[in-house]
Amino acid sequence: MSEPASHELSGPISDPVSLAEHPEIVMIELLFYAYRDFVSDPDAVLATFDFGRAHHRVVHFVSRHPGMPVADLLDILKITKQSLGRVLKQLIDTGYIEQVPGPVDRRQRLLYPTAKGRALSLRLTEPQARRVQAAFAGLSAEERRGAEHFLRMMIDAEERDKVTKLIGR
Amino acid sequence: MSEPASHELSGPISDPVSLAEHPEIVMIELLFYAYRDFVSDPDAVLATFDFGRAHHRVVHFVSRHPGMPVADLLDILKITKQSLGRVLKQLIDTGYIEQVPGPVDRRQRLLYPTAKGRALSLRLTEPQARRVQAAFAGLSAEERRGAEHFLRMMIDAEERDKVTKLIGR
DNA sequence: AAATTTACGTCAGCCATATTGACATATTTC
DNA sequence: GAAATATGTCAATATGGCTGACGTAAATTT
């Protein structure tokens, strides 16, 4: 009667989830840590302006794809129009983004950066580009291809072609 | 006098920020898209329980490092103790995490998963591990090394050693 | 030409996750 | 004994998501 009941109400477990069971955890965690620091770069800059990460994404993708309709932006960000709404309005009100009625389909509001918006986008890209450059510095051509290919394959299969077109290669 | 004034109040800009200027944008955007879809996997599972991404991170890292003090977890997540507070409390109240007073330093509350917590962690790891495995499938050994090394180098320089120890390689 | 669908915006309320600042408690260290 | 440390908690606030409902203009279908 001194045996601990097997149906005991829980209790702490000491053996860690190990890489032996799931070697993929290395990449899972590296991706977490890398992204954590990767997005921290622009945050410092954004604090200066009164913007957050959401503004960053909008300014970035609009600057990369000037004249894109709202729907396309939503599809990239995978958020709702209501979520985009507030952020976009702020960017328009403060003169970073402009809307132009679609010349062919006049229901559309095509999004363009202003000079100010493009400049902000580039300023936010700068530290991230430096980080990427530094990360690539020690890699062979094949290793670089590996890094790029890995990230591509981490994207949902149905999204890959779209992303390739968006990025432009 | 028909020249447009150079001091015009803004106006839409049509030429996109191009890869020619900043080739690093390829990796910047791939990282965004990859992470976007990478984190979407566990979200479906988490919705079943009443948890969010914050709970995922806590359960994951505690399961990976059973007995870790709160401070270490905060340092991994780079959030404040107040932010961690609610999420951790919920996980403790619902029996996924347990706290044990530090045997050597009794101020510490060492965090352990319960069986339930460990199981949840593994369940959330599963789809991400599958995604990583699929992404690695087509890569050569050198390309894989490249992907891993790239992510490592994307981490803040001062954090890299710490992360290496945490991951265990 | 009328009906329907589409693209977008907006209002309202809600939730999750993060923040800062202040203060409390127990414990360890100097 | 004083100071520093590890942690928790209360309170207020910001950000960025969400759903649902409704409105409008323009395109498309019938």
Side-chain angles (χ1 to χ4, degrees), chain B residues 12-147:
Chain B
I13 291 194
S14 291
D15 73 310
V17 168
S18 74
L19 302 184
E21 317 172 53
H22 288 292
E24 301 87 2
I25 288 178
V26 174
M27 295 303 283
I28 290 173
E29 295 188 353
L30 281 177
L31 198 45
F32 166 79
Y33 290 115
Y35 198 80
R36 179 195 68 181
D37 294 349
F38 167 71
V39 296
S40 79
D41 276 340
D43 282 358
V45 181
L46 288 160
T48 310
F49 302 71
D50 242 22
F51 294 149
R53 291 179 191 175
H55 302 86
H56 178 193
R57 290 175 198 141
V58 172
V59 169
H60 175 90
F61 285 110
V62 170
S63 295
R64 279 276 289 154
H65 311 287
M68 87 190 316
V70 171
D72 287 14
L73 183 54
L74 292 176
D75 188 53
I76 287 175
L77 302 178
K78 303 290 182 204
I79 59 174
T80 61
K81 59 177 176 176
Q82 294 91 329
S83 298
L84 177 62
R86 259 163 317 142
V87 169
L88 187 54
K89 192 175 191 312
Q90 289 175 310
L91 287 168
I92 290 167
D93 290 349
T94 50
Y96 291 87
I97 301 281
E98 275 190 27
Q99 285 177 321
V100 176
V104 47
D105 184 338
R106 283 157 47 210
R107 290 171 304 181
Q108 293 181 331
R109 312 266 181 113
L110 305 186
L111 302 173
Y112 289 89
T114 62
K116 207 172 146 190
R118 196 183 198 276
L120 175 58
S121 175
L122 286 171
R123 180 156 169 204
L124 294 168
T125 294
E126 203 179 287
Q128 294 190 316
R130 259 190 263 111
R131 191 181 282 264
V132 168
Q133 222 176 340
F136 261 15
L139 302 192
S140 70
E142 186 177 351
E143 284 172 330
R144 291 178 194 197
R145 274 198 307 278

Side-chain angles (χ1 to χ4, degrees), chain A residues 69-71 81-82 99 105 107-109:
Chain A
V70 171
K81 61 177 175 175
Q82 294 91 330
Q99 285 177 320
D105 183 339
R107 291 171 304 179
Q108 294 180 329
R109 314 267 180 111

Side-chain angles (χ1 to χ4, degrees), chain A residues 89-107:
Chain A
K89 192 177 191 311
Q90 288 175 311
L91 288 168
I92 290 166
D93 290 348
T94 50
Y96 291 86
I97 302 282
E98 275 190 28
Q99 285 177 320
V100 175
V104 48
D105 183 339
R106 282 157 48 209
R107 291 171 304 179

Side-chain angles (χ1 to χ4, degrees), chain B residues 139-169:
Chain B
L139 302 192
S140 70
E142 186 177 351
E143 284 172 330
R144 291 178 194 197
R145 274 198 307 278
E148 181 175 333
H149 193 58
F150 171 75
L151 289 182
R152 266 182 212 285
M153 295 303 286
M154 288 294 287
I155 298 168
D156 280 354
E158 324 83 60
E159 294 281 322
R160 268 173 225 151
D161 285 3
K162 204 189 299 171
V163 167
T164 297
K165 281 176 194 165
L166 282 169
I167 293 184
R169 58 155 105 149

